[in-house]
């Protein structure tokens, strides 16, 4: 995520049983005197933004624009966040906008690796597999896509 970037509120639905977000927040500062730069892994949330925000309004509906998150997690270098997305339906969440830097010599980007883990104790139903395959752009039934 570069300054101005964000991820709209969403629920991961049938993506998996658990979601993970590995934050690799990155800041590069240039030194005008000797034209060198150095990297920092210290992310200043009030200055940089980009928090992972969770909404706790029953988990079933999209939060209204006026709804404030019930919990936010600031990105930190090498931080892993795990949360349940199914059984019951997991929380609506978003990435708040990354703010523009006040200093032209400072570049900050919010890098993240995200994914899902499917717990064998909570297998997806046939309809959930079909929905997941539609989201991924696969045609046909879940049983056909699973065999490929």
């Amino acid at each position: 995520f570069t300054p101005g970037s964000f991820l709209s509120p969403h629920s991961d639905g049938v993506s998996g049983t658990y979601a993970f977000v590995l934050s690799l927040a990155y800041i590069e500062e240039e030194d005008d005197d000797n034209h060198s730069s150095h990297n920092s892994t210290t992310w200043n949330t009030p200055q940089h933004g980009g928090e992972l925000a969770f909404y706790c309004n029953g988990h079933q509906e999209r939060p209204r624009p006026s709804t404030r998150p019930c919990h936010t997690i600031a990105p930190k270098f090498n931080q892993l966040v795990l949360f349940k997305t199914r059984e019951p339906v997991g929380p609506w969440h978003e990435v708040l906008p990354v703010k523009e830097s006040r200093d032209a010599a400072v570049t900050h980007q919010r890098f993240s690796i995200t994914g899902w883990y499917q717990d064998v104790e909570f297998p997806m139903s046939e309809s959930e597999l079909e929905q997941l395959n539609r989201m991924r752009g696969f045609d046909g039934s879940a049983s056909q896509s699973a065999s490929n």
Side-chain angles (χ1 to χ4, degrees), residues 37-148:
S37 65
H38 70 277
N39 300 330
S40 171
T41 57
T42 304
W43 191 267
N44 181 329
T45 302
Q47 182 180 347
H48 299 127
E51 300 96 324
L52 178 60
F54 290 94
Y55 295 90
C56 303
N57 60 347
H59 306 308
Q60 299 299 320
E61 59 188 52
R62 182 184 184 94
R64 295 189 175 120
S66 61
T67 304
R68 295 182 56 92
C70 63
H71 188 72
T72 59
I73 300 174
K76 294 180 183 167
F77 183 76
N78 211 22
Q79 170 183 262
L80 180 65
V81 175
L82 301 169
F83 56 97
K84 200 167 188 177
T85 58
R86 293 181 63 234
E87 304 296 332
V89 174
W92 281 80
H93 54 283
E94 69 177 316
V95 174
L96 299 177
V98 174
K99 298 177 182 176
E100 294 287 338
S101 178
R102 293 182 216 145
D103 184 346
V106 177
T107 302
H108 60 276
Q109 296 183 23
R110 183 189 188 279
F111 292 103
S112 297
I113 299 171
T114 61
W116 299 269
Y117 170 77
Q118 180 60 51
D119 190 337
V120 297
E121 296 294 320
F122 299 103
M124 289 186 183
S125 68
E126 188 73 18
S127 65
E128 288 174 323
L129 284 171
E130 288 174 5
Q131 181 182 354
L132 179 62
N133 285 332
R134 281 193 306 273
M135 288 171 34
R136 292 179 173 166
F138 297 134
D139 290 327
S141 71
S143 57
Q144 289 174 336
S145 298
S147 64
N148 292 338

